[in-house]
């Protein structure tokens, strides 16, 4: 299965395989899993485990979650300022940041200081990126229709952004290619295929 074809649930599954730090409140020797060996577990001693295991232990009341370094209000405010400063480019963000935040905020919100503020800043970041991404895609489609490029290249797209928009971008690019081949493409129609496709994919 290709990453670009993943559903939201499947993306969350893969993001749950990322390693996170927990603080156990129990004692256990090393556990052997298909994804690797984890532990040993000692009370109040940090240990790294996959996010899915961290969530399992959290639900059982066996640990608390240590938020990843990026899930911190001042860090995200800095990222927001960077997004505001970069008018025509996307900044680099941690892999699966949206899905990881959704999982942790659902099952371990009490372990994340200032989680309401973090969610507010994240939403602002995502809105800014969505607006810029629409402009970047339309610009790329413009170049594509004029034969300036054969690819839609947008650096620093995050996994969730790729998944949410890839099919719309592919369909628009294919429509432009077909119309261009047939000599039916008018200059004013360049952005229309993506705009119509994007609207049809919004939930």
């Amino acid at each position: 299965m290709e990453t670009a074809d993943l559903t939201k649930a499947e993306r969350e599954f893969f993001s749950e395989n990322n390693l996170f730090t927990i603080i156990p409140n129990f004692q256990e020797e090393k556990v052997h899993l298909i994804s690797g060996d984890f532990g040993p577990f000692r009370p109040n001693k940090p240990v790294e485990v996959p996010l899915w295991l961290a969530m399992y232990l959290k639900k059982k009341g066996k640990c608390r979650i240590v938020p990843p370094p990026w899930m911190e209000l001042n860090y995200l405010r800095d990222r927001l300022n960077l997004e505001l400063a970069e008018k025509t480019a996307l900044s680099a963000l941690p892999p699966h940041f949206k899905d990881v935040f959704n999982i942790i905020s659902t099952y371990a919100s009490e372990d994340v200081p200032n989680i309401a503020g973090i969610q507010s800043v994240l939403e602002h970041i995502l809105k800014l990126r969505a607006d810029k991404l629409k402009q970047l895609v339309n610009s790329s489609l413009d170049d594509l229709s004029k034969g300036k490029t054969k690819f839609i290249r947008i650096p620093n797209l995050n996994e969730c952004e790729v998944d949410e928009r890839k099919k719309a971008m592919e369909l628009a690019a294919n429509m432009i290619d077909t119309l261009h081949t047939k000599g039916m493409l008018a200059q004013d129609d360049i952005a229309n295929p993506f705009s119509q496709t994007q609207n049809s994919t919004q939930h």
Side-chain angles (χ1 to χ4, degrees):
M1 180 182 297
E2 295 182 359
T3 303
D5 295 327
L6 297 179
T7 65
K8 179 178 182 292
E10 289 165 337
R11 283 200 325 267
E12 290 185 350
F13 171 79
F14 279 98
S15 67
E16 286 179 354
N17 286 295
N18 294 337
L19 295 181
F20 286 80
T21 301
I22 64 169
I23 308 296
N25 57 21
F26 66 98
Q27 183 158 319
E28 185 68 55
E29 297 307 314
K30 187 175 292 187
V31 295
H32 307 284
L33 305 173
I34 295 176
S35 54
D37 299 337
F38 302 100
F41 300 88
R42 300 288 184 266
N44 300 316
K45 298 291 185 181
V47 61
E48 282 194 337
V49 298
L51 184 56
W52 68 264
L53 180 55
M55 292 299 102
Y56 173 80
L57 294 172
K58 177 66 180 179
K59 292 176 187 178
K60 296 291 186 180
K62 298 290 188 179
C63 74
R64 65 180 176 86
I65 308 297
V66 178
W70 61 264
M71 201 177 290
E72 194 271 329
L73 191 55
N74 287 333
Y75 172 88
L76 289 172
R77 284 172 174 164
D78 288 342
R79 305 310 299 181
L80 174 59
N81 290 334
L82 185 58
E83 289 290 350
L84 289 167
E86 293 282 357
K87 301 298 184 183
T88 58
L90 302 176
S91 67
L93 289 172
H96 299 288
F97 76 97
K98 182 180 177 182
D99 298 318
V100 168
F101 177 78
N102 287 340
I103 293 169
I104 292 181
S105 64
T106 299
Y107 300 107
S109 60
E110 65 274 16
D111 292 343
V112 184
N114 301 312
I115 192 165
I118 289 171
Q119 181 172 4
S120 177
V121 175
L122 270 178
E123 289 174 352
H124 196 171
I125 290 173
L126 288 169
K127 175 64 166 60
L128 281 173
R129 290 173 68 88
D131 291 343
K132 283 195 287 187
L133 184 54
K134 182 176 180 179
Q135 295 175 5
L136 290 168
V137 169
N138 283 338
S139 177
S140 295
L141 291 174
D142 189 2
D143 290 342
L144 190 67
S145 70
K146 294 175 181 176
K148 294 180 179 180
T149 182
K150 294 182 179 180
F151 306 97
I152 296 178
R153 178 177 172 80
I154 303 175
N156 295 327
L157 274 177
N158 205 265
E159 289 86 351
C160 60
E161 293 167 327
V162 171
D163 181 63
E164 289 168 357
R165 294 166 176 85
K166 183 174 185 293
K167 290 183 179 179
M169 289 189 287
E170 284 182 343
L171 179 58
N174 289 337
M175 291 170 67
I176 283 179
D177 186 57
T178 299
L179 293 174
H180 185 76
T181 300
K182 294 181 178 181
M184 298 169 59
L185 183 66
Q187 193 66 26
D188 292 341
D189 293 332
I190 289 172
N192 288 345
F194 176 72
S195 299
Q196 294 169 359
T197 307
Q198 185 184 53
N199 290 338
S200 68
T201 59
Q202 290 178 342
H203 300 291

